[in-house]
Amino acid sequence: MIRTALRHHAPTELAEAVALLDTYAERAAVLGGGTMLVPRLTRGDVDLDHVIDLRRLGFGAATVTAGSVHVGARVTYAHLLAASAFPGAAQLLQRVAGGITGGPQIRCQGTICGSAAYANPSTEVPAALVALDATMHLHGPGGPRSIPAAAFFLDAYSVDLRRGELLTGVTVAARAARLGYYKLKLAEGSWPIATAAAVLPPAGVGYTGAVVTLGAISTRPIRLDLAPMLDDSGRLPSDADLDDWVAEQIGEPWDDELAPGSYRRMVAGVVLRRALHRALEENR
Ligand SMILES: Cc1cc2nc3c(=O)[nH]c(=O)nc-3n(C[C@H](O)[C@H](O)[C@H](O)COP(=O)(O)OP(=O)(O)OC[C@H]3O[C@@H](n4cnc5c(N)ncnc54)[C@H](O)[C@@H]3O)c2cc1C
């Protein structure tokens, strides 16, 4: 039960939502699917007076156009799974959606944008958006602005959302790619300990051009261009050398109840290699 009085706003205009967020600032929060916000309010982890519900503003469509996919702020994981297969690398969003745990309640309520805005390091969406070079669409008192996902995720639970701003959607390029995704978790229903999304050029040889983005390993996604590690034939070094190199790229690893940072650093190379192998296997 939420024990504090909360005023629920459901604006019909974006400008009204922005004005409410600007006026009430840290006393207000956007309500997406509520799968994170409502439990936090119930536990008393967050103290608010106002919630700004997006449900009457639209933003409920995933739109596929030539070369890109736009996902509105209210698009849920279930929505992505019910859509036709996205073209090219954009399919990564559907792969992520297919592995979200918590059952239909979470997949039908939880949104891509809610996960992005919350930026919990143990979730998959931030790294998937960085892997896809997503563009984040924001709207605030100064009007709209768009920034790359890599610049949006600042730290654990910290994103580049300014006072009065909300996330209206994300756009990902649907470029042709060989794609491999791997998620390490303790059990079928667990959140990930580490994820890796490998994106390779479509007709490349071996791992040439491979970029792998690691998630849940550090406070923000880690995007690794493998070029410096490949030999002239596009081959990887030994597993041990690659794992050592990956471990060196991590900086401060993420530590939570799922796994200590030392474990995450240790498994990062294995998770990265599994994603790379999948990218090759699935695209033979
Ligand atoms: C049981 C369970 C299992 C889960 N399993 C997984 C899993 O396997 N993998 C995984 O990656 N994640 C998992 N999650 C996390 C899940 O992905 C997120 O809870 C969900 O995507 C958050 O979206 P939401 O719309 O419900 O956000 P909300 O709870 O509505 O909001 C979350 C935060 O973001 C803010 N916010 C929301 N939308 C916007 C917006 N448009 N603009 C600005 N701020 C906004 C809110 O104010 C709030 O602070 C799980 C969650 C639960 C509860």
Side-chain angles (χ1 to χ4, degrees):
M1 194 175 82
I2 299 172
R3 293 180 177 81
T4 52
L6 267 183
R7 175 106 188 263
H8 175 263
H9 304 263
T12 53
E13 300 290 337
L14 182 53
E16 190 188 347
V18 166
L20 288 164
L21 284 170
D22 192 30
T23 302
Y24 297 118
E26 67 279 357
R27 303 303 303 165
V30 170
L31 178 66
T35 59
M36 281 290 111
L37 185 62
V38 173
R40 294 188 72 226
L41 285 164
T42 306
R43 288 192 301 262
D45 292 350
V46 59
D47 183 22
L48 299 173
D49 298 321
H50 303 268
V51 290
I52 320 298
D53 192 336
L54 302 183
R55 73 179 59 197
R56 293 163 74 194
L57 289 179
F59 304 130
T63 315
V64 182
T65 54
S68 73
V69 174
H70 178 80
V71 176
R74 291 190 50 252
V75 170
T76 63
Y77 300 111
H79 187 137
L80 295 185
L81 292 172
S84 304
F86 289 162
Q91 263 178 47
L92 177 61
L93 293 180
Q94 291 171 310
R95 290 195 197 180
V96 167
I100 296 289
T101 58
Q105 297 96 321
I106 302 304
R107 288 196 292 274
C108 292
Q109 288 282 122
T111 63
I112 293 277
C113 286
S115 186
Y118 192 46
N120 177 346
S122 303
T123 54
E124 301 168 66
V125 167
L129 294 176
V130 170
L132 295 174
D133 296 319
T135 300
M136 317 296 288
H137 303 287
L138 313 165
H139 202 106
R145 71 181 174 106
S146 297
I147 57 170
F152 180 75
F153 297 106
L154 301 175
D155 204 346
Y157 306 104
S158 172
V159 294
D160 182 11
L161 265 175
R162 300 173 188 164
R163 180 174 175 142
E165 274 188 337
L166 57 87
L167 183 59
T168 57
V170 301
T171 303
V172 297
R175 62 178 187 275
R178 290 172 291 161
L179 200 61
Y181 188 60
Y182 188 83
K183 165 163 144 177
L184 177 71
K185 51 186 184 172
L186 286 173
E188 193 49 37
S190 314
W191 289 40
I193 290 173
T195 67
V199 182
L200 282 64
V205 178
Y207 298 109
T208 305
V211 175
V212 185
T213 306
L214 299 173
I217 291 273
S218 187
T219 54
R220 47 196 298 275
I222 301 171
R223 197 169 192 277
L224 297 174
D225 183 343
L226 294 195
M229 292 308 287
L230 301 179
D231 68 16
D232 292 342
S233 310
R235 282 190 298 257
L236 291 170
S238 71
D239 289 353
D241 284 351
L242 183 64
D243 292 358
D244 287 348
W245 178 77
V246 173
E248 283 165 15
Q249 311 305 308
I250 290 171
E252 192 64 34
W254 178 239
D255 207 330
D256 67 5
E257 67 283 359
L258 290 170
S262 56
Y263 181 76
R264 286 183 152 101
R265 190 191 296 282
M266 188 178 78
V267 297
V270 181
V271 173
L272 176 140
R273 287 189 277 111
R274 288 183 182 172
L276 279 172
H277 292 160
R278 283 192 173 174
L280 289 196
E281 290 296 315
E282 290 178 19
N283 295 282
R284 273 193 175 161

